[in-house]
Amino acid sequence: MIKTEINKLRSFRQNTDSVPESVKPFIRWAGGKQNLVSKLSENLPKEKFCSYFEPFVGAGSLFFHNNFINSKLSDINPHLINSYISIRESAEEVSDRLAFYKERVSEEYYYKLRDVFNKRKNHFTIDQAAIFIFLVHTSFNGIYRVNKKGEYNVPFGKAKPAIPDSSHLLKIQSKLKGAIITNGMYEDILTNVKRNDFVYFDPPYPPLNETSFFQHYSIDKFPNKQQIELSEYARELSNLGSFVMISNAETPMIIKLYKDWNIKRVSAYRYVNCKAERKAVNELIITNY
């Protein structure tokens, strides 16, 4: 399913006649932007843009909050992308499976489904998508983390998970109709971005300190070297004449990398350590416009 989608990058226009204006994400995702989505939306380009690109889509808060056309969503996590595609193509089937799992939620059942998920870690089916969504909603802090074998190993966390119901997933499906959804690295979009397109980057954040929990937001670490490479890539897109917005943590390195961009500070509550402690921290909204 995912390989097929990767080959579908083409021009199109999304039909927005019956698309709901704003929908909450269907997945609980550490580092998600639901609490900042209004501020992010206030900082969208004032000028009209052609296509919308979100290559670190995660929970897709900004996408689902707005009504973009010509949307291209991507992420490095193949199971996340499989869940997006499965909902777009078969929202009711995903919903039926989730309802079945929700009725049986318990710590024991969580670990049973986690074992099933890991045995099928290379499968990208509707059932695997539903298990993935269930596990992330029910896990500790909504983290997606794998061990060296590539097996999901996050412990049980929520006895009463907020699993999306059928009506919610049907709204998500409406939002996703017409969107190009692919699995890959953020660099893969370069050949598709044109002048007057809008690109939103929400990469894994650099740690605020040595014990920071921020980098646990992703399967893979996103070290300083990759932060630097991303800033260079963003500059290249800016030089093409595209609109670029970036969310990131307020650290000296990030401020230095984007010192000649427009930077706004906003406050957000984040988990800052493995004890699930939340505190207010400053985050940055960085734009080239």
Side-chain angles (χ1 to χ4, degrees), residues 11-214:
S11 297
F12 70 95
R13 188 169 185 85
Q14 184 173 337
N15 182 351
T16 61
D17 292 345
S18 60
V19 177
E21 285 299 315
S22 179
V23 182
K24 288 185 178 181
F26 66 89
I27 198 163
R28 180 177 177 233
W29 201 248
K33 291 295 178 292
Q34 190 60 25
N35 62 345
L36 285 180
V37 71
S38 294
K39 292 179 182 178
L40 289 169
S41 297
E42 290 170 4
N43 285 279
L44 296 176
K46 302 302 181 186
E47 299 178 46
K48 287 187 177 180
F49 51 86
C50 300
S51 296
Y52 173 74
F53 291 81
E54 188 171 348
F56 294 92
V57 68
S61 295
L62 187 62
F63 170 79
F64 289 120
H65 187 75
N66 292 279
N67 221 10
F68 299 130
I69 60 172
N70 297 344
S71 301
K72 282 98 172 176
L73 312 176
S74 58
D75 200 280
I76 193 175
N77 188 320
H79 289 289
L80 176 66
I81 291 303
N82 181 50
S83 69
Y84 271 83
I85 295 172
S86 295
I87 292 171
R88 187 189 64 187
E89 303 301 325
S90 307
E92 291 185 355
E93 289 187 63
V94 175
S95 177
D96 288 345
R97 287 165 170 78
L98 283 173
F100 179 86
Y101 300 147
K102 185 177 181 179
E103 288 178 357
R104 290 156 180 77
V105 64
S106 68
E107 186 169 356
E108 181 182 359
Y109 192 67
Y110 173 87
Y111 288 113
K112 179 181 178 180
L113 277 186
R114 195 180 75 171
D115 288 343
V116 171
F117 180 81
N118 286 331
K119 287 176 183 176
R120 303 174 183 171
K121 64 184 179 184
N122 295 319
H123 296 189
F124 300 99
T125 62
I126 291 173
D127 196 45
Q128 187 76 337
I131 295 174
F132 171 81
I133 295 168
F134 174 84
L135 290 176
V136 175
H137 272 287
T138 316
S139 71
F140 174 76
N141 279 351
I143 305 163
Y144 185 83
R145 182 188 65 203
V146 295
N147 59 24
K148 291 181 181 179
K149 296 180 181 179
E151 297 173 338
Y152 183 67
N153 65 355
V154 182
F156 177 77
K158 277 201 167 207
K160 295 182 179 180
I163 303 293
D165 60 18
S166 177
S167 63
H168 187 179
L169 290 187
L170 288 173
K171 290 177 183 177
I172 293 291
Q173 184 181 50
S174 294
K175 280 281 192 181
L176 293 175
K177 282 191 180 299
I180 295 295
I181 306 170
T182 61
N183 170 224
M185 300 289 287
Y186 70 87
E187 300 99 318
D188 296 341
I189 70 169
L190 180 59
T191 57
N192 300 295
V193 178
K194 305 290 190 298
R195 180 179 178 83
N196 293 326
D197 285 343
F198 174 45
V199 184
Y200 170 51
F201 290 114
D202 182 28
Y205 286 5
L208 299 178
N209 52 56
E210 291 181 359
T211 60
S212 175
F213 202 54
F214 269 40

